[in-house]
Amino acid sequence: MIKLHNIRKSYRVGGLSVEAVRDVSLTVHKGEIFGIIGHSGAGKSTLLRCVNLLEKPTSGTVTVGDMELTGLSEGQLQRQRRRIGMIFQHFNLLSMSTVRDNIAFPLTLAKLSKAEINKRVDELLKLVQLEQHADKYPAQLSGGQKQRVGIARALANNPDVLLCDEATSALDPQTTNSILSLLLDINAKLGITILLITHEMNVIRSICDRVAVIDKGEIVEMGDVLHVFLKPEHPVTRDFVDQVADSGANGQLLRGRKGRLLRMTYIGDLTYEPILYNAVKPTGVEFAILQGTVSRMKETPYGQLIVELIGSDAEVERVIGALRAEGLEVEAV
Ligand SMILES: Nc1ncnc2c1ncn2[C@@H]1O[C@H](COP(=O)(O)OP(=O)(O)O)[C@@H](O)[C@H]1O
Ligand SMILES: [Mg+2]
């Protein structure tokens, strides 16, 4: 649905060239929720703004649907941009207009009739659950409500793609979750492809299918959220994973243990099965659980345990074999 090919963007700042995005290529599939995570200044906003050409890439091509946007005239681009909605960290609402008029704004630009606009705005108010607030001004709304207005406005022209620039970064955790649920809902109900950028791993874990990690303008890691989460490779990715999972083995705790230390990873329904107990039972092996997390990524439950197995080598190997036979990933710590 979205194809970025060799995107570079540099800015001239006081005679110097700053490379904000360095040769980024990625593909977002239709119907997917794709997240790009990176620290402040990594180039996330610049990259996202290249997708709808609010920033013109210095080089590279942007394709949305089957249309190469980088090859279009300004007039053609204006029309294609209606297929791409965007929401922002600070909402960017018109403060002198009501909720209804904010949502109607892109429809007015698209020159719909008054009756059509009213009908569409009513649908959108319902979708984002703001029917009661149609005549309020942005200053009378909470942060979460403001972002709902932003979402309704972004969806007004029935776009195929929604771009989200740190859409929950100005919100408290509870409001963040309600906005993330709304995005999931929109993705599922309307089939809209979502490309979001964030510096919060929680956002990636809650709603994304795939993730790319960006550092200093470059993609350093990319893959299914589940895979990147459980096996982060780049140091920047590991930092982000540590934000949400207590997965870093606590050195203090693990030092001086005499048994075999293993990290076991469960995914899906296995998470709730007594697999460790069943594997150990027929052997004389004893175990201690030193660290553990059980959580969920989007709809998939997963668990990660660090355990110590105490017993003869042969018996410990037998337990490891039984765990692997059940589909667990087992590795030495
Ligand atoms: N309009 C601009 N002019 C000059 N430099 C910019 C401009 N926009 C962004 N930059 C620089 O590009 C880099 C990436 O910025 P940005 O894309 O905003 O990062 P992020 O969204 O990840 O925080 C930063 O070094 C920033 O200072
Ligand atoms: Mg930014």
Side-chain angles (χ1 to χ4, degrees):
M1 188 74 210
I2 303 174
K3 214 172 224 150
L4 305 179
H5 186 67
N6 297 135
I7 297 293
R8 290 179 179 274
K9 175 72 191 182
S10 40
Y11 296 107
R12 289 207 79 67
V13 182
L16 289 173
S17 173
V18 177
E19 276 211 290
V21 175
R22 304 165 192 245
D23 200 15
V24 167
S25 296
L26 60 84
T27 301
V28 181
H29 306 307
K30 188 167 164 47
E32 183 171 50
I33 306 186
F34 192 103
I36 299 175
I37 189 166
H39 293 299
S40 176
K44 303 181 294 296
S45 295
T46 304
L47 182 60
L48 195 72
R49 292 161 61 84
C50 281
V51 175
N52 56 7
L53 267 64
L54 286 179
E55 294 290 353
K56 300 270 187 282
T58 309
S59 63
T61 58
V62 177
T63 309
V64 176
D66 45 16
M67 194 67 81
E68 191 199 310
L69 300 187
T70 28
L72 299 180
S73 69
E74 195 55 39
Q76 291 169 317
L77 182 60
Q78 291 296 348
R79 268 193 303 284
Q80 289 304 317
R81 276 211 186 104
R82 289 198 194 130
R83 299 169 47 217
I84 309 175
M86 188 164 185
I87 57 174
F88 306 88
Q89 179 173 3
H90 297 295
F91 323 119
N92 296 10
L93 302 181
L94 303 167
S95 61
M96 308 296 276
S97 301
T98 62
V99 166
R100 176 173 284 283
D101 290 343
N102 266 281
I103 299 173
F105 185 64
L107 299 168
T108 314
L109 289 185
K111 301 201 164 57
L112 267 66
S113 73
K114 244 201 149 63
E116 284 171 312
I117 292 177
N118 280 331
K119 178 162 172 284
R120 180 71 184 136
V121 172
D122 286 340
E123 286 169 10
L124 290 159
L125 283 166
K126 187 151 179 261
L127 179 72
V128 301
Q129 294 164 11
L130 286 179
E131 296 108 310
Q132 317 299 320
H133 304 281
D135 299 319
K136 289 189 178 166
Y137 287 87
Q140 297 170 285
L141 303 177
S142 69
Q145 290 168 336
K146 285 180 198 166
Q147 193 57 289
R148 284 170 190 271
V149 178
I151 291 171
R153 180 182 58 184
L155 298 180
N157 283 313
N158 284 309
D160 304 318
V161 169
L162 179 63
L163 306 178
C164 311
D165 187 343
E166 302 270 2
T168 56
S169 297
L171 306 175
D172 62 65
Q174 206 178 339
T175 312
T176 291
N177 287 338
S178 83
I179 293 295
L180 294 178
S181 307
L182 178 60
L183 292 175
L184 260 184
D185 200 42
I186 286 165
N187 168 256
K189 268 197 204 142
L190 310 177
I192 294 181
T193 306
I194 298 182
L195 175 59
L196 65 84
I197 62 171
T198 182
H199 63 275
E200 294 172 307
M201 199 61 191
N202 174 45
V203 171
I204 302 287
R205 181 176 64 173
S206 307
I207 68 167
C208 293
D209 302 301
R210 287 195 302 142
V211 61
V213 183
I214 186 170
D215 186 44
K216 302 186 189 79
E218 284 179 285
I219 303 288
V220 296
E221 193 158 354
M222 177 151 56
D224 289 346
V225 171
L226 205 61
H227 183 88
V228 170
F229 215 94
L230 295 173
K231 296 227 164 289
E233 280 172 14
H234 194 276
V236 173
T237 315
R238 285 200 210 116
D239 279 353
F240 282 117
V241 170
D242 285 346
Q243 277 181 4
V244 284
D246 190 22
S247 65
N250 184 328
Q252 191 83 359
L253 201 67
L254 304 183
R255 220 165 288 140
R257 310 292 306 198
K258 296 203 172 49
R260 190 96 70 93
L261 297 180
L262 301 171
R263 177 184 288 110
M264 306 174 13
T265 304
Y266 318 56
I267 296 169
D269 294 337
L270 285 177
T271 308
Y272 306 120
E273 298 291 323
I275 292 170
L276 182 55
Y277 174 72
N278 289 341
V280 166
K281 201 169 50 172
T283 70
V285 172
E286 295 180 358
F287 69 87
I289 295 176
L290 304 178
Q291 197 164 49
T293 343
V294 176
S295 189
R296 166 179 276 287
M297 262 169 256
K298 208 164 174 183
E299 269 96 50
T300 311
Y302 71 96
Q304 208 160 43
L305 294 183
I306 295 183
V307 296
E308 178 186 29
L309 297 184
I310 304 153
S312 72
D313 276 352
E315 286 197 316
V316 167
E317 283 305 325
R318 195 174 148 201
V319 171
I320 293 173
L323 292 170
R324 289 194 172 134
E326 288 290 340
L328 263 66
E329 264 197 59
V330 182
E331 56 193 346
V333 177

